Structures are given as C-alpha cells and as structure tokens.
Amino acid sequence: MIWRIVRNGAIASIVAGVLYAIVLLYDTALRDPRLLDGWILFSAIAFQLFFSWRRKLPKLRLGHVTGWMQAHIYCGYVTAAFFAVHTQFTLPDTKLEWSMWFLFILVVVSGVVGAFLTRSIPARLQTKSRLVAIENIPALQAQLAREVDDLVIGSVGEIRASALTGCYAQTLHGFFRKPRNILAHLQQSQRPLRTICDELDSLDRYLDKPGKETLRSIRSCIVAKDDLDYQYAHQGLLVAWLFIHIPAAYGMIALSVVHVATVYAYTSGV
Amino acid sequence: MLSGGSLALGRSEPPAKIGMEQHRWKTPFGPTPISPAAVSRIVSSPIFDGIEPEDFPDDLPFTEIIARDGRIIRFDQGDQIFSERDYGDSMFIVLRGHVESMTSSDDSSRARFATFGRENSWLQSIPIFNDVRQSIEAMTAVMSRKPTSPHDTGTGEKAAENSSNPDRSATTLGKHEVFGVSSALRRSLRGHTVVAGADNTFVFELRWPGVRDLRFWSTDFRTRMDALYQVQSCIHGLRRCSLFNRIDHSTLRKVAEQSVFETYGELGWSHRFQRHVANPPSDGDSDNLEPTISGQGEYLQECILVCSGFVRVSHKIDDGELTLGFLTSGDFFGLEQLIAGIRFGESQRFEYGLRACGYADVIRIPQQAVEFLLKMDRDMFGDHDHPNAKGYSAVRGIGLPQSLLDFIVDNRFLNGTSAMVIDTDRCVNCDDCVRACAATHDNIPRFVRQGKTHHNLMVANACMHCTDPVCMIDCPTGAIQRHTSSGNVVIDNTTCIGCGACASACPYGNIRMEATFSPAGDSGESGLERLTAIKCDLCQGQSSGPACKRACPHDAIMRIDLSNAEKFSNKLQVAR
C-alpha cells in the first residue's frame, strides 16, 4: 500500500512538473501562460468527472475502478497545484471568480476530507459488534423503540413502576424516536451512553424484582440503540461528504464554462 | 488393497423428486435421445450387469436414463475426449474402438498422440514419432488381451493401466471399459487426458444426474461404481503426485496394490455440517462431523496421501484440539517420519491427529512400499529436500494467525477457490460491487454483501466455486454444473426448475432462490414468474473478470483461493 502511494505520488509529481515546464515554455514564447494553464486546469477538472461516470458504467471494460479512484485522487492534487499556478496565489476580484474560487476550495477540501473519511471510518465501524447497513438502521431503531414501549407498558399495573414510566416519558421516549448524539459518536465519546445508563441505574433502588428485570431489558435496548446511533453517525458521514463534493464540483464546472467563454470574449486567445 | 466407507450421498430419500426427470429430459444430453436399439447395446456393458429395471420407479425408467442422460460420441484417432485440466461430471464407457489415457507426466507424448493419427504421413519420417506409433501398436496389442489385473472388478472395467511399456504411463482402455468415474463422482478435475486410439471410436457418456440416479436405484451399480472409483482414484492419486514422477508405471501399480484407499465422511457432507452449525453438540464431540483418519500418538506404519477433500491436522492440548493446519489433494503426511524410521530403525508415532473435514479420500502407503521404493532408488524422496517430503511442511495454513486458521477450517471456507473476501477496514458500504453485479446479471445481484466475519475480513455470501461443490450433488436436472475448462460452478437457467436443492445443500448459504422471468422477458407458460437458483458465476464469459472486484473503488474486494494458505497470507500482507 505504501508502495502504491509512493508510486502514484511520483507519477503525479512528474506529470505536474512536465506540464508546468510546458507552461513556462509557453510563457517564454511571449504568450499568455494563463491561457495554457487555464486549459490544463479545465481539462484536469473535466477528467475527474470521468471517475463518477466510470462507476455508473460497470459493464464497460474500462479498467478497475480502484485505478480510476487513484487517478481521481492524484489528478485532484495536480489540479490543486495548477489552480494555484493559474490564480498566481492571489484572491479573485470579481463575483464570478469568487464563486469559482469558493467552489474549487470546497471541492478540494471536501475531497481531501472525504478521502480521509473513507480510510478511517470503516476501521472505526469495526469496533462495534456487527455492521448494519445504513438503510436498515431506521427499521431496527423502530423495532427497538417498540420493544421498549412494550416493556414499559407491560410493567404498568404489574409492578410499581412509576419511576420507570417517569424516566421513560422524560428521557427514553425521545432517545428511541430518532438517531441521537451524532456529534458525540463522531468524537468516539461514551458520555451520552453513560449518562442515560447512569440515569436508568439510579432507578434500580426503587424497583422490585420484576421491575429490575425490566430495567435490565431496557438497558440492553439502550446499548443496542446507542450502537445503531454510532453506525448511523459514521455511515451517514461516509455518504454526507459526497453531498458537498459532487454538487460543488458540478457547480464549479458550470462556472468554469462561463469563465472560459468570458475569457475568450475579451482576449485574443493566444 | 482397497477399503473404506461407501460414497454415501448422506441422504436416505431419493436424490430427485419423482417427476422432475421429465423436465431435465426435455433437453436430452445428446442432440436426440439414444435409440432403443443402441440403448440395449449399451446396457449389455458389464458395468450395468445386475441392474433390475423393475427396481426403478415408473417415471424414471432405467432405459430412459440411458437414452436421455447419455449420449454416444464418435471420435477419430487422436481426438481428445477430455483433457486432464478439464472439470467433469460425467462418466464414459468405450463402445467401440479404444482410447488412450495419460497424465501430465507424459504431456509431450500426449501432444504426439493428438497429431499422430492425422499427420502420420510426414511424421513417420521423424524417428521419435515412429517410437510413439510403435507404443500405440504395443498398447493396442495389450488391449486385445483379456484383462487380468487385480484391479479389475470383474466387469471388464480395467483400472486404466498398461504395463507393456514401463517408461510410459499411458493406458489403453478397450470395449466396455469405464473411465472418468472419479471426477464424475467428485465433480473435480479429470486429472488425466483421454484421446481416441483408433478411428471410429464410439464412446458412451453419462451425465451426473443419470449416474446419481443409477447409483441410487441399483445397489449392484453403486457397488461396482464405488469399487471402480476407489481403483481409479488410487491409481490417479498416486500418478498425480509429483513424488512418484520418477517411477515407472509397473512400479506405481505395485505401490498401489500395497496401498489402502480409504474414504472418510460422506460425499454429501454439507447437510450434516449445516445441522451441526445450527445445533452444535454440547459436549463438543466432532467425531461425527470430522471422522478421525489417524489419531495423535498412533504408531506410524504408513504415510498418508490425501487424494481429495480436506483434512484437518490438529494437536491435542488439554481437553481440546489445536488446529495446526490442513491438507488437501496431493499433500503427504508422515512421509519424512516414515523414512527416518526406516533409515534409523526407530518406530515413530504420529505427532498430530488427522480428521476429515466433512469428506476426504486418502491413500495409506505402507512402510513396506516406501522401503521398496527406497531400495529401488535411495534418492527417491530427494533425501528430505523434496517439498512434499518435509515431514509436516506439506501442512497448509501454518503461517496464518491461529484464530484466522480456525475461522477458515471450522467454517469449511478452505473449500472455496474464489471466495469473495471483503476487507471491512476499507469497505465504505457504497454497494458499487452489488450494483456492478446487478448490471452484469439482468439487474439481479448474484451475491449478498454480508457474511461471516473474522476481524476485518468478511467472507461474503458469494459462491466460492468450491473445490468440492456439494451443491451439484442433488440437482435433479443437472442445471448446476462446472464449466468444463474454468471449473466455475454455473447454473443453466433454462434447465433450473427452482427446486432449491442446491440452495439447501450449499453449506455457506451462497445460493438463493429468486423469482425471475424467462429470458424472453415473459413469465413463462403459467403466466407467473418462476423461482430459479441465483448465485455468483464469476461473470462467466466476461474476459475482464468478476464485475464486483472491478467495481470496488477502494480495493476492498478480493477473490481468493482459501485453500492456498500461502497465497492468502501474502495477499493479506499486500493489502495492509
């Protein structure tokens, strides 16, 4: 794996170096280098679009998607370098350019963050007992909520359960209704779980034997729900960053087309 | 000498529901069903002696099995009937002419055989080909002799050998002789190449469902087939072993005569395994599931060659057994100790125990046979430097972490030649693999992205294309079969009747039943969608390989031969 990083990094650096040399030669020939590095930048951005199209066409024999993914990532680094060259490390001065600049930064940052997340989150998910597909989480969550409802409703009348029902109304009902403590889970914090379990444990002294049994069952449901929340938070994040990266990328490309048209409207194009 | 259990399918009920045969017979094995006159000639072969047609149910008549599950094929001299690298699930009977059987040790001579008949006009001028022609003539002469080998089972089906030329392992098989039995019963590689030895050689081929039904309904046929299976497997098992490459065929036959062929467990081991997984015995007794081949501490009087199946090598620790590794086809056990015992005159004991993982065929080669070989050639076993002769170095899986080894062996994953292993540390659950699979297979994905997990490795519920595909045993129509050249286990949707026999036999739950429409897009005669068995076919026919692996952006999917522990271990290290 390290070998792959070194190899791909070296290839990307060489490609970037060669392209930059060509830009310098273009400049030496007393032409506007920003036109050339602009086109290189635009081509690199357009090339990266092919990655998502390749994923949508699995039947075509266009190589392994892993290779495309690597090309996408390293081409992204080259693109970022050429963006710096093209903007000459300066901030934009028009609204259109500001929009493009902002979208480009958003795409790059979300891409880098996304690459980090796709490498780190799967390992984090292994810390839980079993992996649940994100689309199954709402159903399992609803099932747990029903179980707890039944436990609490079943305890009413049979045992002295006012403490339990009170806790349910105040805390548990809301806890089981939807995913909770997303940020805490992303920080790997156990605090929310400990808080709710401590609250439940504090009821133990008020309950008789059947009540304590019910309490234990509810406690196991809370742990299971917390587990689901953990998975929801992490798997959700794995998907969420794409909702920033992809629309921003398409927005940037649309603005780039406008930018190219504008440039050619006001320059000789050489 | 042959012994051991029968090749019970592990089921007491008929292998196919009555009435399903008609469905499989809609498409006869040959272009047309065999004519009654030809059938009567075929059933006069000694292999069918003692079969009582009235023992067969009314809707599964004996003659119809022959007519519709069999076909007659004509070959000219040099035509290849099958290659040793082919997978097979059918048996053959020579009806007219003769055939030559040979193994990879005589690859070059096979090439010569393949062209001899066609091109002898110019080949005759080359001395080496004259030698081959003389060999053929010698073998043809032997063919005409009445078989007297102790391996004959009294039915004329001589066990594929010829001692006329000690330098060659080619064998002539004449009229009524049977071949291809071991691969038909084991659904495995043929292991030897068979070519027609004369023009107008006619061969009868019987596909697996027919073989299975005949075995089920006729005790005589079953007994004869099992005997034949043991003879052919013993000879082929020894012949395939690289250690015996240096010895001539007559010596090999002597070794085979002294050796004992044994079968442990059942061919249809998966049902028992599934019951065991569902309800593990409280006392941890595994004798029923994994019959003992050799107990730890037993005196070493023979070495063991595994012919087929898988064998667990374990060591007793306190009340349990620690798995050291496993053996599979072609692996030796205890040879080095036996040689050391012979050389130093000390009696040795098995340091480890051997158990069959569900099913295994083994050959016990006794000390006398090894002594005999050592007397012939002191360096026969390479003075311990042969990879197979290094005591327990043949044991696979030693480099793997203990828990991973246990995971693979306990779950029988070592059966998988193309298991889908997902690195869950890299998988982001994007489902691109599932979508790619669906896109390649009429929008029905052929696997489920879940399965048993060990640490970060998930063996997904995708067909592993097993070494021992137990799913094929019970298929009433023969719809599930091995692809002849690749060995991939594939389902023919046109003959699948959706009975679910394969799905219930698969010990890994990798076959599922899905409602599908006919290939034409309509819903069949009944107007309803029909159930068919769905499983991974490794994107058969697509040169680019499995779509799932190709589609994974994060390099999380591996298709691995789990019986190749060394390769598996290397892959894991590369993936880190």
Side-chain angles (χ1 to χ4, degrees):
Chain A
M1 211 48 75
I2 291 169
W3 157 243
R4 189 170 80 175
I5 292 169
V6 171
R7 184 197 61 193
N8 293 349
I11 292 171
S13 304
I14 290 167
V15 169
V18 168
L19 290 174
Y20 187 63
I22 293 170
V23 170
L24 289 181
L25 280 175
Y26 198 77
D27 191 19
T28 313
L30 298 177
R31 296 183 175 202
D32 186 356
R34 293 181 76 177
L35 282 171
L36 181 60
D37 59 38
W39 273 114
I40 290 172
L41 182 59
F42 186 79
S43 308
I45 291 169
F47 172 75
Q48 289 180 86
L49 274 185
F50 292 142
F51 170 62
S52 62
W53 296 343
R54 169 68 187 91
R55 288 178 76 175
K56 289 181 176 63
L57 299 168
K59 283 176 106 168
L60 294 185
R61 292 183 58 189
L62 295 169
H64 283 233
V65 177
T66 305
W68 282 88
M69 178 75 162
Q70 291 296 309
H72 182 80
I73 291 171
Y74 286 93
C75 187
Y77 295 139
V78 173
T79 310
F82 267 85
F83 179 77
V85 170
H86 186 65
T87 56
Q88 296 177 331
F89 298 93
T90 56
L91 289 174
D93 48 14
T94 67
K95 282 181 185 170
L96 175 70
E97 287 176 349
W98 262 115
S99 308
M100 283 173 61
W101 188 90
F102 174 75
L103 286 175
F104 187 87
I105 297 297
L106 195 61
V107 171
V108 170
V109 170
S110 63
V112 171
V113 170
F116 171 74
L117 292 176
T118 53
R119 285 287 174 268
S120 58
I121 287 183
R124 280 188 177 197
L125 288 168
Q126 302 307 310
T127 57
K128 293 295 168 185
S129 55
R130 73 188 178 104
L131 192 66
V132 179
I134 192 167
E135 55 269 25
N136 294 338
I137 289 176
L140 291 170
Q141 183 187 293
Q143 188 185 329
L144 282 173
R146 274 196 304 276
E147 274 178 41
V148 174
D149 280 357
D150 293 346
L151 282 168
V152 174
I153 292 166
S155 68
V156 176
E158 287 182 16
I159 53 177
R160 281 170 292 189
S162 56
L164 198 58
T165 49
C167 175
Y168 174 74
Q170 279 180 6
T171 315
L172 297 183
H173 182 75
F175 176 73
F176 280 99
R177 285 311 109 183
K178 60 180 184 179
R180 298 281 176 188
N181 310 314
I182 300 294
L183 277 177
H185 283 304
L186 291 177
Q187 294 165 4
Q188 306 274 60
S189 169
Q190 292 285 316
R191 187 185 47 77
L193 177 66
R194 268 206 312 273
T195 305
I196 198 164
C197 284
D198 287 349
E199 205 168 320
L200 207 67
D201 291 344
S202 67
L203 301 178
D204 192 68
R205 71 183 72 176
Y206 311 115
L207 298 172
D208 54 8
K209 203 175 171 188
K212 286 177 200 256
E213 279 293 319
T214 308
L215 198 66
R216 266 195 291 277
S217 303
I218 293 174
R219 201 179 196 282
S220 64
C221 287
I222 288 171
V223 173
K225 168 67 170 46
D226 186 72
D227 197 3
L228 286 180
D229 286 348
Y230 181 91
Q231 300 212 24
Y232 183 83
H234 284 87
Q235 292 191 48
L237 193 60
L238 270 178
V239 177
W241 73 270
L242 289 169
F243 282 94
I244 297 170
H245 188 70
I246 294 172
Y250 279 102
M252 183 184 65
I253 284 169
L255 289 183
S256 300
V257 172
V258 176
H259 174 71
V260 169
T262 313
V263 167
Y264 276 89
Y266 292 98
T267 65
S268 61
V270 288
Chain B
M1 185 180 165
L2 304 162
S3 71
S6 74
L7 305 167
L9 293 178
R11 290 165 66 96
S12 54
E13 67 269 26
K17 286 177 190 168
I18 307 301
M20 285 180 178
E21 283 65 31
Q22 280 82 348
H23 191 96
R24 89 174 181 238
W25 290 343
K26 276 182 185 170
T27 27
F29 193 31
T32 54
I34 298 172
S35 68
V39 168
S40 63
R41 280 199 297 277
I42 291 166
V43 299
S44 67
S45 296
I47 186 76
F48 298 120
D49 280 354
I51 292 183
E52 299 294 342
E54 55 270 23
D55 288 346
F56 287 75
D58 291 342
D59 53 358
L60 188 64
F62 168 54
T63 49
E64 284 298 295
I65 293 175
I66 299 294
R68 292 173 186 272
D69 286 327
R71 63 180 173 187
I72 298 172
I73 317 168
R74 176 186 169 277
F75 296 99
D76 283 333
Q77 187 178 30
D79 285 348
Q80 186 173 281
I81 297 171
F82 58 71
S83 157
E84 64 185 313
R85 291 178 189 85
D86 288 348
Y87 285 84
D89 53 1
S90 58
M91 56 169 270
F92 297 83
I93 301 169
V94 182
L95 297 178
R96 186 196 294 170
H98 66 276
V99 299
E100 310 291 344
S101 161
M102 55 203 91
T103 50
S104 56
S105 56
D106 40 70
D107 259 347
S108 52
S109 57
R110 182 179 69 227
R112 287 178 237 146
F113 268 113
T115 54
F116 180 76
R118 303 277 167 81
E119 299 170 83
N120 55 359
S121 55
W122 63 270
L123 286 177
Q124 278 172 343
S125 61
I126 305 170
I128 192 170
F129 289 100
N130 273 327
D131 294 344
V132 174
R133 190 185 58 176
Q134 284 156 15
S135 298
I136 292 175
E137 283 165 359
M139 284 183 279
T140 311
V142 169
M143 183 204 75
S144 61
R145 289 203 300 268
K146 191 172 179 175
T148 54
S149 155
H151 282 265
D152 285 354
T153 53
T155 59
E157 56 284 57
K158 189 174 58 175
E161 69 250 60
N162 166 37
S163 57
S164 65
N165 184 351
D167 297 329
R168 295 178 49 78
S169 56
T171 306
T172 303
L173 298 168
K175 190 177 177 184
H176 292 328
E177 291 195 83
V178 181
F179 58 99
V181 171
S182 55
S183 52
L185 291 185
R186 295 286 302 139
R187 307 161 303 285
S188 57
L189 275 175
R190 291 290 187 187
H192 58 125
T193 299
V194 178
V195 296
D199 285 342
N200 281 325
T201 295
F202 283 87
V203 170
F204 171 68
E205 183 181 9
L206 185 64
R207 63 181 170 184
W208 165 248
V211 176
R212 181 198 56 211
D213 290 345
L214 290 184
R215 284 182 86 247
F216 187 83
W217 294 105
S218 167
T219 311
D220 279 3
F221 182 79
R222 183 167 62 245
T223 310
R224 208 168 291 125
M225 284 288 286
D226 288 355
L228 203 54
Y229 170 76
Q230 293 185 347
V231 170
Q232 292 190 353
S233 297
C234 188
I235 293 282
H236 293 150
L238 291 171
R239 202 185 267 173
R240 275 204 307 268
C241 181
S242 57
L243 273 181
F244 297 115
N245 272 348
R246 293 164 62 176
I247 63 175
D248 60 64
H249 194 65
S250 58
T251 311
L252 187 73
R253 226 185 82 192
K254 280 182 190 153
V255 173
E257 283 167 8
Q258 291 181 52
S259 302
V260 180
F261 183 91
E262 290 179 336
T263 292
Y264 290 89
E266 300 167 336
L267 269 180
W269 53 268
S270 68
H271 298 286
R272 191 187 288 269
F273 175 70
Q274 288 177 74
R275 282 198 298 273
H276 177 90
V277 170
N279 300 302
S282 52
D283 57 357
D285 177 32
S286 57
D287 263 2
N288 284 332
L289 193 68
E290 297 189 356
T292 304
I293 296 171
S294 163
Q296 182 181 335
E298 284 180 9
Y299 277 104
L300 197 70
Q301 290 166 336
E302 69 259 317
C303 62
I304 292 172
L305 170 63
V306 181
C307 250
S308 61
F310 293 94
V311 172
R312 185 199 291 262
V313 183
S314 58
H315 186 67
K316 274 185 189 162
I317 288 185
D318 299 330
D319 282 340
E321 289 190 15
L322 176 77
T323 303
L324 183 75
F326 59 92
L327 303 168
T328 185
S329 176
D331 291 341
F332 259 109
F333 189 79
L335 180 64
E336 188 185 37
Q337 280 66 30
L338 198 63
I339 293 171
I342 293 166
R343 286 190 173 154
F344 303 110
E346 293 169 359
S347 56
Q348 306 266 333
R349 288 169 184 264
F350 277 113
E351 287 179 43
Y352 304 104
L354 297 185
R355 288 175 178 279
C357 290
Y359 175 90
D361 290 330
V362 299
I363 301 173
R364 289 180 188 269
I365 304 172
Q367 188 169 335
Q368 299 90 307
V370 177
E371 279 174 346
F372 167 73
L373 291 171
L374 285 172
K375 271 181 198 162
M376 274 182 53
D377 180 359
R378 196 163 171 74
D379 295 328
M380 169 67 68
F381 301 112
D383 200 20
H384 300 220
D385 61 354
H386 192 286
N388 274 351
K390 281 182 184 169
Y392 304 119
S393 63
V395 178
R396 296 161 188 252
I398 287 179
L400 294 176
Q402 186 63 45
S403 57
L404 180 59
L405 178 65
D406 287 337
F407 174 72
I408 292 173
V409 178
D410 290 348
N411 289 298
R412 302 284 187 269
F413 288 140
L414 35 73
N415 201 4
T417 62
S418 292
M420 181 192 279
V421 178
I422 297 178
D423 183 349
T424 50
D425 272 356
R426 300 186 71 83
C427 176
V428 298
N429 308 317
C430 64
D431 269 344
D432 276 7
C433 50
V434 181
R435 274 193 289 275
C437 183
T440 322
H441 296 99
D442 300 328
N443 290 322
I444 301 175
R446 301 297 180 98
F447 72 97
V448 181
R449 194 177 50 76
Q450 62 183 35
K452 290 190 174 166
T453 304
H454 174 78
H455 296 170
N456 62 317
L457 297 176
M458 179 208 283
V459 180
N461 284 132
C463 177
M464 305 196 292
H465 302 271
C466 296
T467 307
D468 178 15
V470 283
C471 53
M472 281 166 58
I473 295 175
D474 288 338
C475 177
T477 63
I480 186 163
Q481 54 197 281
R482 270 199 192 277
H483 189 267
T484 309
S485 55
S486 66
N488 294 347
V489 180
V490 291
I491 296 174
D492 178 2
N493 276 339
T494 56
T495 46
C496 176
I497 54 171
C499 66
C502 53
S504 67
C506 176
Y508 315 104
N510 291 346
I511 304 178
R512 59 182 209 280
M513 306 307 295
E514 285 276 349
T516 57
F517 291 93
S518 70
D522 58 33
S523 50
E525 291 166 11
S526 62
L528 299 168
E529 55 190 16
R530 63 193 185 106
L531 271 183
T532 46
I534 296 290
K535 63 177 268 307
C536 165
D537 60 356
L538 276 181
C539 295
Q540 181 76 32
Q542 295 204 20
S543 56
S544 48
C548 52
K549 187 168 181 277
R550 217 173 54 238
C552 178
H554 304 288
D555 227 1
I557 292 182
M558 298 173 265
R559 300 302 296 237
I560 296 181
D561 179 355
L562 289 175
S563 66
N564 191 338
E566 195 181 339
K567 207 171 167 184
F568 180 35
S569 184
N570 290 342
K571 269 209 166 183
L572 288 184
Q573 281 167 11
V574 169
R576 292 295 94 206

